[in-house]
Amino acid sequence: MIIAVDAMGGDHGASAVCPGVIEACNRNSDLEIALIGDKTVIEPYLDKADGSVRSRIHVVHAEEVVDPNESPAKAIRCKKHSSMRIAMEMVRSGEAKGCVSSGSTGAIVAGGVLVVGRLKGIDRPGLGILLPTKKPVFLLDAGATVRCKPLNLVQFSLMGSVYMKDVEKLSSSPRVCLLSNGSEEIKGDDVIVAARERLRASDDLNFGGYVEANRVPMGDADVVVCDGFSGNVMLKSFEGLIKFCRGLVKETIQESWLAKAGALLLYPSMKRLGARVDYQRYGGSALMGVNGAVIKAHGRSKAPAIANAIGVAYSFVERNALERIREDIAQELEKVAAEETLC
Amino acid sequence: MIIAVDAMGGDHGASAVCPGVIEACNRNSDLEIALIGDKTVIEPYLDKADGSVRSRIHVVHAEEVVDPNESPAKAIRCKKHSSMRIAMEMVRSGEAKGCVSSGSTGAIVAGGVLVVGRLKGIDRPGLGILLPTKKPVFLLDAGATVRCKPLNLVQFSLMGSVYMKDVEKLSSSPRVCLLSNGSEEIKGDDVIVAARERLRASDDLNFGGYVEANRVPMGDADVVVCDGFSGNVMLKSFEGLIKFCRGLVKETIQESWLAKAGALLLYPSMKRLGARVDYQRYGGSALMGVNGAVIKAHGRSKAPAIANAIGVAYSFVERNALERIREDIAQELEKVAAEETLC
């Protein structure tokens, strides 16, 4: 399986992406990587790969890089030789089964729509990410479609449910909830209320109504659906608070020798706990609703997070997520067409 | 100073509110409470107050209670004998300097607008809350105005800045930022972009542009401004994640005798840390933009959180927050009028 990887994105660029690619190849022996970016920058980092891994990494030279400050759509349209655009084109042409980039969210979404193309029946894509919560919770949209129409939220619900069922292999029917500012019916705005009414009428989903942000870590829903703005706020609130709490714990430990001794004894357990809530473990979010496995890695990704994002792309492809979503959406469209004929 | 307290709101009703009122009276010797609700329910809880405190608690009987599931505006309009409405009326008439309720946010906002009345120059109120972050950060709106116009966000910025300066006594000019889905200029939706342009043109504010949710706990802004939906998502994400992490830590400690021993040594430090991030410490959010000190306590408030919410009302009144906000808004309105005359 070939996955195209943008070597030039994110805060750390090739210095994080290249070791991440090597780690991903070490994990999966049937994985090949098309590593796209400035050859002269990339190649020195690949010297560390052993022979069998190195032979599976194919460097594709790209002269341009998409800058996070430029207009996403313009960058994708104009920078035809950028590493991100080339990665997307390899997915469209079928040369690669999927692609991974830690570049700007906006450009990845624009590339997904303009280059890879939308899935038939999907109006806007959504970024889906598994949260490091009690049990895996799929948040959709984490930042692709900043503001949504009710139809977008309904489509996210459908795609999220298929993802949890077919990629994450959830045994029961995934419970899909709309993120809202309270659990009561009087909560939400017009868009959320309209989406709720449409979801309630659906026979295909296990729709659980509203979920509040404080219940998300407890796993009250398997799929949490919201617009990209709210999803981004929730995801970043979690990230920021975990970082803040880590800092507080470190400070607290320095307070006394008693605390230091306690921390020493607790260290192995706390290290495991730290790994449990580390966003790097969940390095990739899938751009749901486009015609390929397009995975966004966190902008601050270091090598392990890049390897995990490539792992998300690998599972997405291996478990036929795209085909399943495509089938489900097609069935849904047929149903709607049949209902319209009846009316 | 008399503060009116709704005894019937929140998950725990009088069983939490009454001991909270007693605790608040113990803390401030010049505080008197008008405690509003069902006399027969309230009075047994007050037996625990010593004489000097008991004499400062005046029970006001109310026959009705606002239900969190009813339409907020309708409940406030129709239930004239409800504990919440009576508390608001005491503020309007001047019998009480402020009021506190742990009832539904919607009803408190409706009561603030319909009974207490809006401040001249303010279009919509916002709930302002101090977050338990590195340094105090004032989040506005935490849930009063679900969706906002740019003007609302500009007014929240002004009120938040005055609050941090005059009530929280911040030494430097408070840094006001708009919550967004990224720090770059291309982020935000139309409303946020329009608000940013207006705030940037203002001479009276120390406007810092966008802040992302992950930077809020680090104190990148003194005042974080957003619509009530996003504020609610952020606040509840913090709350939920803290609860989730506490649970994880407890589980982790049970893993081995080494971890248990370590936890025992760390206990005193961790207890202080736990208190540091406990939302109960920040029990009250102020309804900014109405003609009085209207404080909402968390629905899950127990006695200490109620006492803290009463403390927020006390500080709000003692530090003349209302008058300062009123003056600042009046100056702003004058300026706008002068500019219009010039044009």
Side-chain angles (χ1 to χ4, degrees), chain A residues 69 134 147 184 189 192 212 214 229 232 234 236-238 241 244 248 252 255 262 269 272 300, chain B residues 69 134 147 181 184 189 192 212 214 229 234 236-238 241 244 252 255 262 269 272-273 300:
Chain A
N69 289 312
K134 199 153 189 157
R147 292 298 179 199
E184 307 91 350
D189 64 4
I192 296 169
E212 289 184 89
N214 57 328
F229 192 92
N232 188 277
M234 187 162 75
K236 290 198 176 147
S237 296
F238 289 160
L241 200 72
F244 172 65
L248 273 188
T252 305
E255 273 177 11
S269 299
R272 277 197 300 279
R300 285 192 290 281
Chain B
N69 289 311
K134 201 152 188 158
R147 293 297 180 201
N181 55 330
E184 307 92 349
D189 64 4
I192 295 168
E212 288 185 89
N214 57 329
F229 192 91
M234 187 163 74
K236 290 197 175 146
S237 296
F238 289 159
L241 200 73
F244 172 65
T252 305
E255 273 177 8
S269 298
R272 277 197 298 280
L273 173 61
R300 285 193 289 282

Side-chain angles (χ1 to χ4, degrees), chain B:
Chain B
M1 181 196 307
I2 300 180
I3 302 289
V5 175
D6 169 9
M8 312 307 282
D11 296 357
H12 308 290
S15 72
V17 176
C18 297
V21 161
I22 295 171
E23 201 175 318
C25 285
N26 276 324
R27 288 186 201 166
N28 289 297
S29 59
D30 64 335
L31 180 66
E32 293 186 48
I33 300 287
L35 187 56
I36 307 152
D38 186 335
K39 255 189 166 168
T40 54
V41 175
I42 296 172
E43 283 185 335
Y45 289 110
L46 300 181
D47 292 344
K48 283 172 194 155
D50 69 36
S52 80
V53 163
R54 183 65 190 82
S55 68
R56 288 186 278 132
I57 304 173
H58 317 288
V59 177
V60 178
H61 184 66
E63 278 161 21
E64 292 173 299
V65 176
V66 169
D67 190 285
N69 289 311
E70 53 193 337
S71 150
K74 205 174 149 196
I76 285 294
R77 276 207 186 92
C78 302
K79 287 191 165 170
K80 296 201 168 152
H81 304 291
S82 65
S83 51
M84 196 191 286
R85 164 119 191 199
I86 293 174
M88 300 275 183
E89 275 177 353
M90 289 184 79
V91 176
R92 181 172 60 180
S93 69
E95 281 173 275
K97 286 284 188 189
C99 68
V100 172
S101 174
S102 52
S104 92
T105 305
I108 291 169
V109 174
V113 171
L114 299 171
V115 180
V116 179
R118 273 176 295 142
L119 270 178
K120 196 182 160 188
I122 296 293
D123 289 67
R124 302 289 294 266
L127 269 174
I129 188 162
L130 277 175
L131 299 176
T133 37
K134 201 152 188 158
K135 55 177 191 176
V137 172
F138 196 60
L139 169 68
L140 181 76
D141 173 18
T145 299
V146 178
R147 293 297 180 201
C148 288
K149 292 178 184 163
L151 179 69
N152 305 134
L153 298 178
V154 171
Q155 292 174 351
F156 293 169
S157 301
L158 204 65
M159 293 194 288
S161 179
V162 174
Y163 188 90
M164 286 307 274
K165 210 165 48 192
D166 293 331
V167 181
E168 286 301 310
K169 307 283 179 195
L170 208 72
S171 55
S172 58
S173 173
R175 183 178 160 89
V176 179
C177 292
L178 285 167
L179 181 68
S180 194
N181 55 330
S183 54
E184 307 92 349
E185 292 255 313
I186 51 162
K187 298 288 179 157
D189 64 4
D190 296 346
V191 171
I192 295 168
V193 168
R196 185 191 71 202
E197 293 313 308
R198 293 181 66 162
L199 286 168
R200 188 175 283 163
S202 156
D203 307 324
D204 307 311
L205 285 173
N206 174 10
F207 178 57
Y210 290 160
V211 65
E212 288 185 89
N214 57 329
R215 298 301 308 168
V216 171
M218 281 63 179
D220 281 15
D222 300 308
V223 179
V224 174
V225 172
C226 58
D227 69 28
F229 192 91
S230 310
N232 187 278
V233 167
M234 187 163 74
L235 188 65
K236 290 197 175 146
S237 296
F238 289 159
E239 251 182 62
L241 200 73
I242 286 174
K243 197 176 168 188
F244 172 65
C245 288
R246 273 177 203 270
L248 274 186
V249 168
K250 274 187 194 161
E251 270 175 38
T252 305
I253 288 170
Q254 297 304 322
E255 273 177 8
S256 70
W257 65 266
L258 207 68
K260 277 183 201 166
L264 206 64
L265 296 177
L266 260 175
Y267 185 73
S269 298
M270 284 300 159
K271 206 176 163 191
R272 277 197 298 280
L273 173 61
R276 173 92 176 66
V277 292
D278 186 358
Y279 75 87
Q280 300 239 19
R281 266 190 64 207
Y282 297 76
S285 46
L287 188 64
M288 309 290 289
V290 296
N291 250 319
V294 175
I295 309 299
K296 182 192 151 33
H298 198 297
R300 285 193 289 282
S301 292
K302 292 185 184 163
I306 295 287
N308 290 338
I310 297 171
V312 172
Y314 186 90
S315 302
F316 197 98
V317 175
E318 199 195 22
R319 295 178 187 177
N320 295 316
L322 189 63
E323 289 67 29
R324 309 269 174 136
I325 293 168
R326 203 183 267 142
E327 276 166 27
D328 259 54
I329 299 289
Q331 274 179 18
E332 199 63 16
L333 288 176
E334 264 174 38
K335 242 192 240 169
V336 173
E339 276 165 19
E340 277 169 5
T341 316
L342 282 173
C343 295

Side-chain angles (χ1 to χ4, degrees), chain A residues 1 3 40 48 53 55 65 75 88 92 96 100 123 140 154 192 208 211 217 221 233 249 256 258 271 299 301 330 339:
Chain A
M1 182 196 306
I3 302 289
T40 54
K48 283 172 193 156
V53 164
S55 68
V65 176
M88 300 273 182
R92 183 174 58 182
V100 173
D123 290 66
L140 181 77
V154 171
I192 296 169
V211 66
V233 167
V249 168
S256 68
L258 207 69
K271 205 177 163 188
S301 291
E339 276 165 19

Side-chain angles (χ1 to χ4, degrees), chain A residues 30-271:
Chain A
D30 64 335
L31 180 66
E32 291 187 49
I33 300 287
L35 187 56
I36 307 152
D38 186 336
K39 254 189 167 170
T40 54
V41 175
I42 295 171
E43 283 185 333
Y45 289 110
L46 301 180
D47 293 343
K48 283 172 193 156
D50 69 38
S52 80
V53 164
R54 183 64 189 84
S55 68
R56 287 185 278 131
I57 303 174
H58 317 289
V59 176
V60 179
H61 183 66
E63 278 161 23
E64 292 173 299
V65 176
V66 169
D67 189 285
N69 289 312
E70 53 192 338
S71 148
K74 206 175 148 194
I76 285 295
R77 276 206 185 92
C78 302
K79 288 191 164 171
K80 296 201 169 151
H81 305 288
S82 65
S83 51
M84 197 192 285
R85 166 120 189 198
I86 295 174
M88 300 273 182
E89 274 176 355
M90 290 183 79
V91 176
R92 183 174 58 182
S93 69
E95 282 172 275
K97 287 283 188 189
C99 68
V100 173
S101 174
S102 52
S104 91
T105 306
I108 292 169
V109 174
V113 171
L114 300 171
V115 181
V116 179
R118 271 176 297 141
L119 270 178
K120 196 182 161 189
I122 296 294
D123 290 66
R124 301 289 294 266
L127 270 173
I129 187 162
L130 277 175
L131 299 177
T133 37
K134 199 153 189 157
K135 55 178 191 175
V137 172
F138 197 59
L139 171 67
L140 181 77
D141 170 19
T145 300
V146 179
R147 292 298 179 199
C148 289
K149 292 177 185 165
L151 178 69
N152 305 134
L153 298 178
V154 171
Q155 292 174 350
F156 293 168
S157 301
L158 205 65
M159 292 193 290
S161 179
V162 174
Y163 188 90
M164 286 307 275
K165 209 164 50 192
D166 293 330
V167 180
E168 286 300 310
K169 306 284 181 198
L170 206 74
S171 56
S172 57
S173 172
R175 182 177 160 90
V176 179
C177 292
L178 286 167
L179 181 68
S180 194
N181 56 331
S183 54
E184 307 91 350
E185 293 253 313
I186 51 162
K187 298 288 178 159
D189 64 4
D190 294 348
V191 171
I192 296 169
V193 168
R196 183 190 74 203
E197 293 312 308
R198 294 181 66 162
L199 288 167
R200 189 174 280 162
S202 155
D203 306 326
D204 308 310
L205 284 173
N206 175 11
F207 178 57
Y210 291 160
V211 66
E212 289 184 89
N214 57 328
R215 299 301 309 168
V216 171
M218 282 63 181
D220 281 14
D222 300 308
V223 180
V224 174
V225 172
C226 58
D227 68 28
F229 192 92
S230 310
N232 188 277
V233 167
M234 187 162 75
L235 189 64
K236 290 198 176 147
S237 296
F238 289 160
E239 250 182 62
L241 200 72
I242 285 175
K243 197 175 169 191
F244 172 65
C245 287
R246 273 178 203 269
L248 273 188
V249 168
K250 274 186 194 161
E251 269 174 41
T252 305
I253 288 170
Q254 296 306 321
E255 273 177 11
S256 68
W257 65 265
L258 207 69
K260 277 182 200 165
L264 206 67
L265 297 176
L266 259 174
Y267 184 74
S269 299
M270 284 300 158
K271 205 177 163 188

